[in-house]
C-alpha cells in the first residue's frame, strides 16, 4: 500500500472515531466550545470605588428596593445610616406631580460576633399607581439622596415585561463585570430576579459583616432604581456556632425584607408576587420543605391560586438546582425535587431559575416523577408539562467558576457553559417569552445562549422542535 493511500485510510479512521466520539459526548444537548480562561476570582478590596460610602454626615447608603405587596403597587425601600438612626421617612412623588408624599418606616440594628450593624431602615411605600415613574428621597439635610423607580404595568395576561436574572453574585472584580453587563444590556431588564447567595461575607473571617455593607453599597447602583426580588441561598444562613452565632439568616433577614405576608407566607424565605403577566414563586432550599412543614403547606395552597388567565407566566425561583450536570452540589437538591416536582409539573410551571452551581446550564423540558420505589422508572423523561430548568449561579463570586462537568452530557441538559454572566427573561405576550444568557466576556448585546419559551398554559408546544 502506498504511503498516500495509507494516510487517507488513517485520516478516515480518525474522522470516524471523532464522529462516534462526538455522538457519545453529544448524548444530551450542547456543551459550549467556549472555554473561559482559568483565573482567580478575588473580592474587590475594601477601598474600591464601588464600595465607597456616599458623602455627608449619616448619609443613607446601601439603598435598595423590592416589591412591597402582592401585585406591584407597593415598594419596600431599604437603606442604612451609619452614624445615628436619622430620619426613617421616605419622601416620594410621581413624575410631573408637585404633591410630595411621605411614608414612615422602621429602624433596627443587629450584632454579629464582634460586629454591630448600622441603623437599618425599611419603609413600605404603598398605593402607588401602575406604570408610573416615582422619585424618592431618603436622608435629611445636606445628606439627602434622591433615586427613582418605575412601577410595573397593571397585572394582566398580555403585559410585556423584562426580567433580569443573576445568581451567586458576591463582590469580586468578576461580580462587578456581571452587574455592569446587566446594566448595559440593551434588552433593559426592568426587575431583577436574584436567585440567592448575595454577599459571600461568610467567606471572610468570622463572617465579617462589613462585607454585607460593602455588598449593599456595590449593588445600590442597580437595586436602588429597580426592584431586586430576593431568594435565600446557603451564603445567607450565616450559622456559625463556633463564634456563638446560632440564629440562621440573621444578617440577611435584618437587611433584606420581602413582602411574604402578602402571599400568606409565614416566613420571609418562601413567598410569591405577581408582576405584570408573571406569577413568581420564591422557594427556600434551606428551610424545611417536607410534608407537614410550613413551606410545604404554603406551596400546596399557593399553586392552585395561580390564575393563568390573569398571569400566564408561572416562574419559580430557588437557590439549589434540581437539574444540572456539573460535578458540584450534584443532587444536593434531590430531596426537595422529590417533594415538589410533581406539583410543579401538575401546575405547569413555565421555568425554574436556580443558582448555587457557579456556571450556566439550561435543561430540556423533563420530569422525573414516575418513580414509586418499585417500578424502576427512575430516569428523567421528556415532559411538555414540565418546566425548563435554568442554572444561573454564574454571577462571579469569590469561590470561582465551576468548570468540571459530568461526561457525557446527560440527555436532560440542553446547553451548558462554565462562564460568568447573567440572563434576561423577556415576556412578549401570553404565549411567547424570549430568554437569553449573556456571558461577561462578550459585548453587551451578545447572546451566549437563547431560546423562545412557549407558555405552558396558552401555547404548550415543544420549543426544541
Ligand atoms: Fe450557593
Amino acid at each position: 500500500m502506498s504511503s498516500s493511500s495509507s494516510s487517507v485510510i488513517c485520516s478516515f479512521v480518525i474522522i470516524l472515531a471523532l464522529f462516534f466520539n462526538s455522538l457519545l459526548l453529544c448524548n444530551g444537548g450542547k456543551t459550549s466550545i467556549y472555554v473561559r480562561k482559568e483565573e482567580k476570582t478575588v473580592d474587590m478590596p475594601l477601598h474600591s470605588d464601588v464600595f465607597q460610602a456616599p458623602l455627608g454626615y449619616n448619609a443613607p447608603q446601601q439603598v435598595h428596593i423590592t416589591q412591597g405587596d402582592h401585585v406591584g403597587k407597593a415598594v419596600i425601600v431599604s437603606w442604612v445610616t451609619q452614624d445615628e438612626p436619622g430620619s426613617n421617612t421616605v419622601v416620594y412623588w410621581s413624575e410631573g406631580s408637585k404633591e410630595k408624599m411621605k411614608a414612615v418606616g422602621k429602624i433596627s440594628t443587629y450584632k454579629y460576633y464582634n460586629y454591630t450593624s448600622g441603623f437599618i431602615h425599611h419603609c413600605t411605600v404603598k398605593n402607588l399607581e401602575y406604570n408610573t415613574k416615582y422619585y424618592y428621597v431618603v436622608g435629611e439635610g445636606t445628606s439627602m439622596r434622591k433615586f427613582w423607580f418605575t412601577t410595573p404595568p397593571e397585572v394582566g395576561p398580555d403585559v410585556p415585561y423584562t426580567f433580569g436574572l443573576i445568581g451567586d453574585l458576591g463582590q469580586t472584580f468578576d461580580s462587578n463585570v456581571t452587574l455592569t453587563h446587566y446594566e448595559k444590556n440593551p434588552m433593559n431588564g426592568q426587575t431583577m430576579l436574584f436567585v440567592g447567595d448575595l454577599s459571600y461575607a461568610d467567606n471572610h473571617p468570622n463572617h465579617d459583616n462589613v462585607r454585607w455593607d460593602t455588598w449593599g453599597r456595590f449593588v445600590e447602583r442597580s437595586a436602588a432604581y429597580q426592584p431586586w426580588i430576593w431568594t435565600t441561598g446557603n451564603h445567607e444562613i450565616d450559622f456559625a456556632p463556633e463564634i456563638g452565632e446560632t440564629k440562621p439568616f440573621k444578617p440577611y433577614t435584618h437587611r433584606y425584607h420581602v413582602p411574604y405576608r402578602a402571599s400568606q407566607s409565614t416566613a420571609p424565605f418562601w413567598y410569591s408576587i405577581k408582576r405584570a403577566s408573571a406569577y413568581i414563586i420564591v422557594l427556600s432550599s434551606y428551610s424545611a420543605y417536607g410534608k407537614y412543614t410550613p413551606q410545604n403547606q404554603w406551596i400546596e395552597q399557593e399553586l392552585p391560586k395561580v390564575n393563568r388567565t390573569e398571569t400566564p407566566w408561572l416562574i419559580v425561583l430557588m437557590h439549589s438546582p434540581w437539574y444540572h450536570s456539573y460535578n458540584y452540589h450534584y443532587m444536593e437538591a434531590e430531596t426537595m425535587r422529590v417533594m415538589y416536582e410533581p406539583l410543579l409539573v401538575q401546575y405547569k410551571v413555565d421555568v425554574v431559575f436556580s443558582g448555587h452551581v457557579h456556571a450556566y446550564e439550561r435543561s430540556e423540558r423533563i420530569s422525573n416523577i414516575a418513580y414509586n420505589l418499585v417500578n424502576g422508572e427512575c430516569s428523567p423523561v421528556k415532559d411538555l408539562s414540565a418546566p425548563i430548568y435554568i442554572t444561573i449561579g454564574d454571577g462571579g463570586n469569590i469561590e470561582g467558576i465551576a468548570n468540571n462537568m459530568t461526561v457525557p452530557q446527560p440527555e436532560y441538559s440542553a446547553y451548558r457553559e462554565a462562564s460568568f454572566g447573567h440572563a434576561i427573561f423577556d415576556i412578549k405576550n401570553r404565549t411567547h417569552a424570549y430568554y437569553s444568557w449573556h456571558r461577561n466576556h462578550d459585548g453587551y448585546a451578545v447572546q451566549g445562549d437563547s431560546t423562545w419559551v412557549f407558555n405552558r398554559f396558552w401555547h404548550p408546544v415543544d420549543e426544541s422542535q
Side-chain angles (χ1 to χ4, degrees):
M1 195 186 293
S2 74
S3 70
S4 68
S5 61
S6 72
S7 74
V8 166
I9 291 170
C10 190
S11 314
F12 180 71
V13 169
I14 289 170
I15 288 166
L16 211 62
L18 283 174
F19 174 71
F20 283 114
N21 190 35
S22 74
L23 272 188
L24 185 71
L25 293 177
C26 295
N27 202 357
K30 187 175 165 193
T31 296
S32 173
I33 52 164
Y34 182 89
V35 179
R36 182 186 181 278
K37 198 172 103 213
E38 274 220 61
E39 51 200 353
K40 253 188 128 170
T41 47
V42 291
D43 272 357
M44 294 180 281
L46 294 174
H47 62 262
S48 301
D49 56 351
V50 297
F51 294 152
Q52 290 315 294
L55 294 174
Y57 173 75
N58 208 38
Q61 54 168 275
Q62 307 174 47
V63 181
H64 54 92
I65 60 171
T66 194
Q67 185 161 318
D69 66 357
H70 202 232
V71 296
K73 292 188 79 175
V75 165
I76 303 172
V77 180
S78 307
W79 70 98
V80 174
T81 49
Q82 209 56 55
D83 306 306
E84 56 172 284
S87 167
N88 54 0
T89 300
V90 174
V91 178
Y92 63 99
W93 62 97
S94 61
E95 188 172 41
S97 162
K98 290 205 172 76
E99 191 199 351
K100 295 196 172 171
M101 290 167 284
K102 283 182 180 175
V104 180
K106 289 197 171 131
I107 304 176
S108 68
T109 61
Y110 74 92
K111 287 183 193 300
Y112 190 95
Y113 187 53
N114 59 1
Y115 168 94
T116 303
S117 74
F119 301 93
I120 302 171
H121 302 243
H122 298 285
C123 176
T124 305
V125 179
K126 296 175 188 160
N127 301 317
L128 301 169
E129 296 295 323
Y130 282 121
N131 216 4
T132 302
K133 183 172 181 180
Y134 284 90
Y135 293 91
Y136 69 100
V137 168
V138 286
E140 49 199 341
T142 52
S143 300
M144 277 198 292
R145 298 184 68 206
K146 182 176 159 187
F147 304 88
W148 56 86
F149 59 79
T150 302
T151 50
E154 185 169 0
V155 172
D158 287 301
V159 185
Y161 204 75
T162 310
F163 291 100
L165 286 143
I166 291 181
D168 304 66
L169 184 57
Q171 46 191 303
T172 71
F173 293 96
D174 291 289
S175 320
N176 197 22
V177 177
T178 303
L179 187 54
T180 302
H181 268 241
Y182 171 62
E183 293 171 299
K184 303 252 181 177
N185 190 323
M187 296 173 89
N188 288 328
Q190 295 168 286
T191 289
M192 171 62 68
L193 304 178
F194 191 86
V195 291
D197 282 0
L198 285 65
S199 74
Y200 287 75
D202 58 352
N203 275 28
H204 291 267
N206 302 317
H207 296 226
D208 186 0
N209 273 224
V210 167
R211 284 288 178 175
W212 272 108
D213 291 312
T214 53
W215 196 81
R217 297 199 286 271
F218 161 50
V219 299
E220 181 192 270
R221 68 186 202 232
S222 171
Y225 298 93
Q226 64 170 250
W228 282 40
I229 308 304
W230 301 110
T231 312
T232 43
N234 51 307
H235 288 277
E236 278 67 76
I237 302 173
D238 280 312
F239 176 72
E242 67 279 11
I243 52 172
E245 291 301 340
T246 53
K247 189 169 186 295
F249 303 108
K250 193 206 269 182
Y252 172 76
T253 49
H254 278 86
R255 292 167 183 273
Y256 294 91
H257 280 194
V258 298
Y260 65 96
R261 289 190 187 89
S263 55
Q264 290 76 52
S265 166
T266 49
F269 313 112
W270 58 90
Y271 64 100
S272 72
I273 57 165
K274 296 179 200 175
R275 199 160 180 91
S277 46
Y279 200 105
I280 294 157
I281 291 181
V282 178
L283 295 178
S284 175
S285 304
Y286 306 103
S287 304
Y289 45 75
K291 197 78 188 160
Y292 317 116
T293 62
Q295 184 170 205
N296 183 80
Q297 216 177 88
W298 180 81
I299 193 162
E300 283 184 354
Q301 289 166 4
E302 179 68 9
L303 282 164
K305 289 182 194 166
V306 182
N307 173 2
R308 306 293 277 272
T309 305
E310 184 193 38
T311 50
W313 293 94
L314 180 50
I315 297 169
V316 172
L317 313 180
M318 65 180 85
H319 184 63
S320 192
W322 293 354
Y323 290 102
H324 71 89
S325 61
Y326 288 86
N327 293 322
Y328 306 81
H329 306 303
Y330 196 63
M331 287 179 70
E332 250 181 50
E334 188 65 1
T335 50
M336 192 188 198
R337 182 192 67 74
V338 170
M339 276 304 300
Y340 291 163
E341 190 182 19
L343 279 173
L344 267 54
V345 175
Q346 181 188 345
Y347 288 95
K348 297 185 167 42
V349 170
D350 292 295
V351 56
V352 175
F353 293 106
S354 300
H356 201 38
V357 175
H358 301 158
Y360 172 70
E361 188 160 9
R362 172 172 57 85
S363 83
E364 304 287 356
R365 288 198 185 277
I366 35 98
S367 72
N368 191 6
I369 54 179
Y371 186 47
N372 66 359
L373 290 189
V374 291
N375 64 9
E377 293 175 28
C378 52
S379 295
V381 292
K382 191 172 179 85
D383 185 342
L384 290 182
S385 293
I388 294 173
Y389 293 89
I390 289 169
T391 302
I392 184 142
D394 57 346
N397 65 70
I398 191 170
E399 294 175 353
I401 199 86
N403 54 8
N404 190 337
M405 304 170 184
T406 61
V407 177
Q409 185 169 7
E411 271 180 51
Y412 59 75
S413 170
Y415 182 95
R416 58 184 187 174
E417 179 177 325
S419 291
F420 295 138
H422 74 277
I424 298 281
F425 191 76
D426 189 16
I427 296 172
K428 306 288 189 190
N429 53 36
R430 75 181 68 193
T431 56
H432 285 65
Y434 187 75
Y435 167 79
S436 55
W437 172 73
H438 304 260
R439 70 170 76 81
N440 285 359
H441 285 184
D442 288 331
Y444 299 127
V446 178
Q447 301 171 10
D449 177 42
S450 64
T451 181
W452 281 100
V453 179
F454 300 151
N455 187 273
R456 287 305 94 189
F457 184 84
W458 291 99
H459 188 56
V461 170
D462 187 358
E463 296 97 339
S464 66
Q465 294 301 307

